[in-house]
Amino acid sequence: MKAPIVQKHMTRLPLEIEQIDNVAHARQLMDLFEIRHVPVMTGLQLKGVISDRDIMNTAIKRGKEIDDLPIEEICEHDVLTVSPLTPIDEVARRMLQRGVGSAVVVDGEYVVGIFTSTDALIALSGLFR
């Protein structure tokens, strides 16, 4: 069986945050929209991904309040990016190899979606219905 492409299972046009925004703003957006991964942008240019894990690990390491830190200081800059036409099994393999919970889906230079471990589990569960 041929794996479906990531475009069919990604979250389209995900919420984005500017790299100059602070951690408090990222937390607020993540809580409000119940998400764990947010692309970090400068205008239309992808600069990184911030996750709830990044925020939690930074808070533990620094042992102090981090709400005023700019996102760019703690986000992951080496982002796993994939094309909308990439098969989801390849995306899942690459996520596992890199130990990340998301891949940003880009079409040319533009962010068009995000594929997370939750999206992968939803796709997997759909195979067995």
Side-chain angles (χ1 to χ4, degrees), residues 24-43:
H25 187 224
R27 281 183 179 169
Q28 182 181 33
L29 289 175
M30 290 173 163
D31 288 346
L32 180 64
F33 292 99
E34 298 179 344
I35 56 177
R36 297 180 306 146
H37 302 89
V38 180
V40 177
M41 310 293 288
T42 294

Side-chain angles (χ1 to χ4, degrees), residues 6 10 39-41 44-49 76-87 90-95 97-98 100-115:
V6 74
M10 70 184 187
V40 177
M41 310 293 288
L44 295 175
Q45 189 174 21
L46 178 65
K47 292 295 187 177
V49 171
E76 177 59 52
H77 294 280
D78 185 20
V79 181
L80 173 58
T81 60
V82 297
S83 156
L85 302 178
T86 307
E90 180 182 329
V91 178
R93 256 193 316 279
R94 291 172 62 190
M95 288 169 63
Q97 287 171 344
R98 300 232 348 228
V100 296
S102 67
V104 177
V105 184
V106 294
D107 190 359
E109 296 180 19
Y110 300 102
V111 172
V112 295
I114 192 165
F115 182 78

Side-chain angles (χ1 to χ4, degrees), residues 1-4 9 88 120-129:
M1 173 158 76
K2 189 174 178 181
H9 296 281
I88 62 170
L121 289 171
I122 291 167
L124 179 63
S125 69
L127 292 174
F128 295 100
R129 277 193 217 138

